[in-house]
Amino acid sequence: MLIVHHLGISQSDRIVWLCEELGLDFELRRYDRDPVTKLAPPEYRALHRFGTAPVIQHDDLTLGETGAIFEYLIAIRDGRLGRSLRDADFADYLYWLHFGNGSFVPAGVNTMIVRTISGGSGDHTLGIFGDRLRRAYESADERLGETPYFAGTEFSAADIMMVFPLTTMRAFAPVDLAPYPNIRAYLGRIGQRPAFRRAMAKADPGFEVHLT
Ligand SMILES: N[C@@H](CCC(=O)N[C@@H](CS)C(=O)NCC(=O)O)C(=O)O
């Protein structure tokens, strides 16, 4: 039995989407953030030693951390949506799979934190993280001008990793997509995927995903 513990409007929406794309049978348990702190509620924190979203349970296993959950779910579906050394797009797949949470999300989160602390003033640190965030959008746009999907010609788990900072994260760290035509066209295509639509409707009903 697979259970996906989803914290409302958070990066655990990716796990719901991954399960839908992989055709996995799963139970979704949804938790709202604490209305004051916006953090995970105590019952979510109790699920796993670090207490952040996402968390899954598969029979006796409890697993946290997005990248670990991705690798686990792809493995139980025999590598579907993943890539291996035999595939020509393996290195690109790895790069974008890891860029999502390794560089892009931290740039967005750090920008949001520094903006809040500094009250949006021209703080030097805000400039550093803001520049990183802009470069993340620019590199994603450049990549999507070269290939239809992040790994290459075919959709992969790297797309599921990269879409969160391009969509849901903008609810917290707003970015105007006007300068990024390739990202806008890509998100239009992603928004047509039945598995994406099913996942977002289940994960956060009533929340309008930021596709434009
Ligand atoms: N590197 C971790 C980051 C997890 C993380 O920061 N999750 C956020 C949701 S986007 C969270 O749980 N926030 C609520 C909290 O910290 O209580 C992962 O990818 O799993």
Side-chain angles (χ1 to χ4, degrees):
M1 164 94 170
L2 175 65
I3 303 171
V4 177
H5 296 274
H6 170 52
L7 178 66
I9 314 181
S10 82
Q11 59 185 295
S12 50
D13 63 10
R14 287 191 282 216
I15 306 302
V16 184
W17 181 21
L18 179 62
C19 288
E20 290 287 343
E21 293 279 358
L22 290 173
L24 285 164
D25 191 18
F26 67 101
E27 177 188 325
L28 177 66
R29 295 198 192 156
R30 193 184 182 285
Y31 305 71
D32 284 321
R33 291 171 183 267
D34 181 290
V36 178
T37 65
K38 307 292 181 206
L39 296 174
E43 59 273 26
Y44 201 101
R45 297 205 151 190
L47 291 169
H48 193 270
R49 67 177 95 244
F50 196 52
T52 53
V55 173
I56 62 163
Q57 287 176 306
H58 190 210
D59 300 329
D60 294 335
L61 169 80
T62 301
L63 188 61
E65 200 61 42
T66 303
I69 295 172
F70 262 58
E71 294 211 33
Y72 182 81
L73 295 177
I74 291 167
I76 63 173
R77 291 293 275 140
D78 300 319
R80 205 165 145 186
L81 293 183
R83 296 290 186 273
S84 73
L85 201 48
R86 288 186 301 277
D87 300 308
D89 56 3
F90 182 51
D92 286 318
Y93 167 79
L94 286 180
Y95 177 78
W96 293 105
L97 183 76
H98 290 277
F99 181 78
N101 266 16
S103 294
F104 202 162
V105 171
V109 171
N110 290 335
T111 302
M112 182 183 73
I113 292 169
V114 177
R115 200 178 275 157
T116 308
I117 292 171
S118 71
S121 68
D123 183 272
H124 174 65
T125 322
L126 184 59
I128 293 171
F129 289 119
D131 181 61
R132 260 184 182 232
L133 187 58
R134 184 182 48 74
R135 284 191 285 131
Y137 277 94
E138 283 174 359
S139 26
D141 195 65
E142 188 180 83
R143 176 61 176 163
L144 294 170
E146 298 163 352
T147 53
Y149 297 102
F150 279 101
T153 52
E154 302 296 326
F155 181 83
S156 75
D159 294 290
I160 302 178
M161 193 65 88
M162 283 294 293
V163 163
F164 167 78
L166 297 174
T167 56
T168 310
M169 190 173 82
R170 286 191 291 124
F172 303 96
V175 169
D176 180 9
L177 292 187
Y180 309 117
N182 301 318
I183 294 176
R184 284 189 278 120
Y186 169 77
L187 291 180
R189 295 197 298 278
I190 292 293
Q192 299 301 313
R193 295 185 73 83
F196 176 81
R197 295 165 77 95
R198 276 198 310 276
M200 295 305 135
K202 280 182 192 176
D204 294 304
F207 172 71
E208 199 178 331
V209 189
H210 291 48
L211 289 173
T212 56

